mmCIF file of all heavy atoms in Angstrom:
data_model
loop_
_atom_site.group_PDB
_atom_site.id
_atom_site.type_symbol
_atom_site.label_atom_id
_atom_site.label_comp_id
_atom_site.label_asym_id
_atom_site.label_seq_id
_atom_site.Cartn_x
_atom_site.Cartn_y
_atom_site.Cartn_z
ATOM 1 N N VAL A 455 132.470 85.985 57.677
ATOM 2 C CA VAL A 455 132.702 87.010 56.675
ATOM 3 C C VAL A 455 131.815 88.192 57.028
ATOM 4 O O VAL A 455 130.730 88.015 57.584
ATOM 5 C CB VAL A 455 132.364 86.498 55.254
ATOM 6 C CG1 VAL A 455 133.343 85.422 54.841
ATOM 7 C CG2 VAL A 455 130.940 85.985 55.164
ATOM 8 N N VAL A 456 132.272 89.402 56.754
ATOM 9 C CA VAL A 456 131.553 90.596 57.201
ATOM 10 C C VAL A 456 131.423 91.595 56.064
ATOM 11 O O VAL A 456 132.195 91.577 55.095
ATOM 12 C CB VAL A 456 132.268 91.255 58.400
ATOM 13 C CG1 VAL A 456 132.330 90.315 59.578
ATOM 14 C CG2 VAL A 456 133.677 91.711 57.997
ATOM 15 N N THR A 457 130.443 92.473 56.155
ATOM 16 C CA THR A 457 130.250 93.525 55.161
ATOM 17 C C THR A 457 130.907 94.830 55.577
ATOM 18 O O THR A 457 131.059 95.738 54.762
ATOM 19 C CB THR A 457 128.747 93.782 54.952
ATOM 20 O OG1 THR A 457 128.172 94.198 56.200
ATOM 21 C CG2 THR A 457 128.052 92.542 54.436
ATOM 22 N N SER A 458 131.266 94.936 56.889
ATOM 23 C CA SER A 458 131.893 96.169 57.374
ATOM 24 C C SER A 458 132.666 95.865 58.645
ATOM 25 O O SER A 458 132.515 94.798 59.252
ATOM 26 C CB SER A 458 130.827 97.244 57.646
ATOM 27 O OG SER A 458 129.932 96.798 58.650
ATOM 28 N N LYS A 459 133.464 96.809 59.071
ATOM 29 C CA LYS A 459 134.304 96.596 60.257
ATOM 30 C C LYS A 459 133.494 96.401 61.528
ATOM 31 O O LYS A 459 133.961 95.777 62.485
ATOM 32 C CB LYS A 459 135.262 97.779 60.436
ATOM 33 C CG LYS A 459 136.344 97.877 59.378
ATOM 34 C CD LYS A 459 137.257 99.062 59.657
ATOM 35 C CE LYS A 459 138.364 99.168 58.611
ATOM 36 N NZ LYS A 459 139.248 100.335 58.865
ATOM 37 N N LEU A 460 132.283 96.957 61.580
ATOM 38 C CA LEU A 460 131.472 96.882 62.805
ATOM 39 C C LEU A 460 130.350 95.841 62.713
ATOM 40 O O LEU A 460 129.442 95.830 63.534
ATOM 41 C CB LEU A 460 130.878 98.259 63.112
ATOM 42 C CG LEU A 460 131.885 99.380 63.370
ATOM 43 C CD1 LEU A 460 131.158 100.701 63.617
ATOM 44 C CD2 LEU A 460 132.783 99.039 64.559
ATOM 45 N N ALA A 461 130.411 94.986 61.718
ATOM 46 C CA ALA A 461 129.326 94.026 61.518
ATOM 47 C C ALA A 461 129.209 93.030 62.667
ATOM 48 O O ALA A 461 128.137 92.460 62.891
ATOM 49 C CB ALA A 461 129.529 93.281 60.200
#
Side-chain angles (χ1 to χ4, degrees):
V455 293
V456 299
T457 60
S458 61
K459 291 181 179 179
L460 299 178

